[in-house]
Amino acid sequence: MTSVNLETLQLYCDVVRLRSFSRGAAANAVSQSAASQAIQQLETELDTALLDRSRRPLLPTEQGQAFYEACRTLLQGFEKARADLVLARERVEGTVRVAAIYSVGLHDTSRHMQPFMAAYPQARVRLECLHPHKVVEAVVEDEADLGILSYPAATRTLTVVPLRQEPMVLVAHPAHRLARRRTVEPADLQGEKFVAFDRDLAIRKAIDRALRQHEVLVDVVMEFDNVETIKQAIGINAGVSILPRPTVLNESGMRTLAAVPLAPPGLVRPIGIIHRRGRRLPPVVARFIEQLQKPIEGSP
């Protein structure tokens, strides 16, 4: 027994609907000869004459009309089932698990959550702020769908989606001698007490590299693994630091800290999104990435 495929049934329905082999064939992008042969094979398979070829325009037999109605219902049901599957795949619902470094999670990612969940009421975002190494680990271990961090690195396991470049500024206590400068040259930092990031962080390595290039030595008096603690140390005038501008907008606006641009070309901190390489992202995760790429009102 030969199997009958959906393409043949669609062809038959179009021939009956259009009352013509030639028009039915054209609707299915096949030749008239191929259409005629396919219908003949279908009739042989069913052991029934489906079309009355003696009449013009072409009409189905009584059995052919009944078969046409049944085929049309079947094809419509198949199309609906396929559309439902596509809709289910694209439905934006569920939870996005996000791991972010503290400075980005607190100052940026959290502001995207409310508009995202307002746009997609069936979606939720679970944000966890972690040390940079822990962000990578969470994504690799499938404890997070997305990671957001600075200086992201693509690997055989991880894909990077670039997000933005954040300008770095000198941050000082308002009473510091450099606080009122319009810009700061690298040489101005020679010998300054400096509140630094921990040595194993990419941002610390980038800052150290820039200072070495200008042959500048600073006096590192404290080291921390996050921006918030560094800002607290600067707030008691323990030293100056170089931080991403978006992380000190509130403090500079209230004048509790001074943020002074670095002389061109300055420094930037690259921010990116990481996710598991080769994994198809669920619609809710893909849409949240799109949300993260949108500017938020009031952002620099």
Side-chain angles (χ1 to χ4, degrees):
M1 183 175 181
T2 306
S3 61
V4 177
N5 58 43
L6 292 175
E7 287 80 3
T8 300
L9 298 183
Q10 183 64 62
L11 172 63
Y12 172 70
C13 287
D14 287 337
V15 168
V16 172
R17 178 174 59 86
L18 298 170
R19 299 186 176 187
S20 165
F21 272 113
S22 61
R23 290 198 290 271
N28 288 268
V30 298
S31 68
Q32 181 174 339
S33 174
S36 179
Q37 290 178 13
I39 301 302
Q40 286 178 354
Q41 290 174 0
L42 180 61
E43 290 175 318
T44 300
E45 176 69 24
L46 298 173
D47 194 22
T48 302
L50 298 174
L51 299 173
D52 184 351
R53 292 169 172 78
S54 67
R55 303 176 63 179
R56 291 293 183 273
L58 196 66
L59 292 173
T61 63
E62 183 178 347
Q63 294 90 344
Q65 181 64 33
F67 186 67
Y68 166 75
E69 298 293 342
C71 287
R72 190 172 63 172
T73 299
L74 185 151
L75 291 168
Q76 289 173 345
F78 175 76
E79 287 302 320
K80 182 181 184 304
R82 181 162 61 182
D84 288 345
L85 285 175
V86 171
L87 184 62
R89 286 200 303 269
E90 296 303 318
R91 189 175 295 128
V92 180
E93 61 182 9
T95 300
V96 187
R97 301 168 302 163
V98 182
I101 57 175
Y102 288 94
S103 60
V104 175
L106 295 173
H107 296 279
D108 181 77
T109 308
S110 58
R111 294 193 296 165
H112 286 277
M113 292 166 60
Q114 184 174 351
F116 175 74
M117 290 187 287
Y120 303 106
Q122 303 303 313
R124 293 291 179 269
V125 180
R126 190 185 76 197
L127 173 64
E128 187 175 11
C129 294
L130 300 170
H131 185 280
H133 299 324
K134 292 292 184 181
V135 171
V136 174
E137 183 179 305
V139 176
V140 171
E141 298 296 328
D142 198 28
E143 295 171 357
D145 301 301
L146 301 175
I148 309 173
L149 72 166
S150 59
Y151 305 91
T155 67
R156 287 185 297 178
T157 307
L158 299 174
T159 293
V160 172
V161 180
L163 202 52
R164 63 179 177 274
Q165 302 272 345
E166 296 180 340
M168 306 275 276
V169 293
L170 177 78
V171 181
H173 187 279
H176 192 275
R177 67 180 184 87
L178 298 175
R180 295 184 180 276
R181 294 281 189 91
R182 299 188 64 175
T183 61
V184 171
E185 298 284 346
D188 294 328
L189 301 180
Q190 181 67 35
E192 280 291 330
K193 292 182 178 179
F194 200 85
V195 184
F197 287 95
D198 283 347
R199 294 176 184 273
D200 63 337
L201 296 181
I203 190 170
R204 167 67 181 273
K205 294 174 183 177
I207 293 171
D208 285 353
R209 186 164 52 248
L211 293 174
R212 282 198 305 270
Q213 288 173 350
H214 290 90
E215 299 181 346
V216 171
L217 290 176
V218 295
D219 178 15
V220 176
V221 292
M222 295 180 180
E223 297 177 330
F224 299 107
D225 67 355
N226 67 88
V227 168
E228 297 307 308
T229 309
I230 291 176
K231 288 192 296 186
Q232 292 174 18
I234 299 170
I236 61 172
N237 209 8
V240 300
S241 190
I242 294 176
L243 300 176
R245 180 172 175 266
T247 66
V248 291
L249 286 177
N250 289 339
E251 291 83 359
S252 63
M254 294 185 295
R255 299 186 179 181
T256 56
L257 294 177
V260 186
L262 300 175
L267 283 173
V268 295
R269 177 175 77 157
I271 301 295
I273 302 167
I274 58 172
H275 61 80
R276 289 288 295 271
R277 183 180 295 278
R279 175 174 295 178
R280 182 182 182 275
L281 297 177
V284 68
V285 175
R287 297 292 87 77
F288 190 62
I289 290 177
E290 292 176 2
Q291 173 63 43
L292 290 170
Q293 293 170 325
K294 295 178 182 179
I296 290 290
E297 186 175 349
S299 296

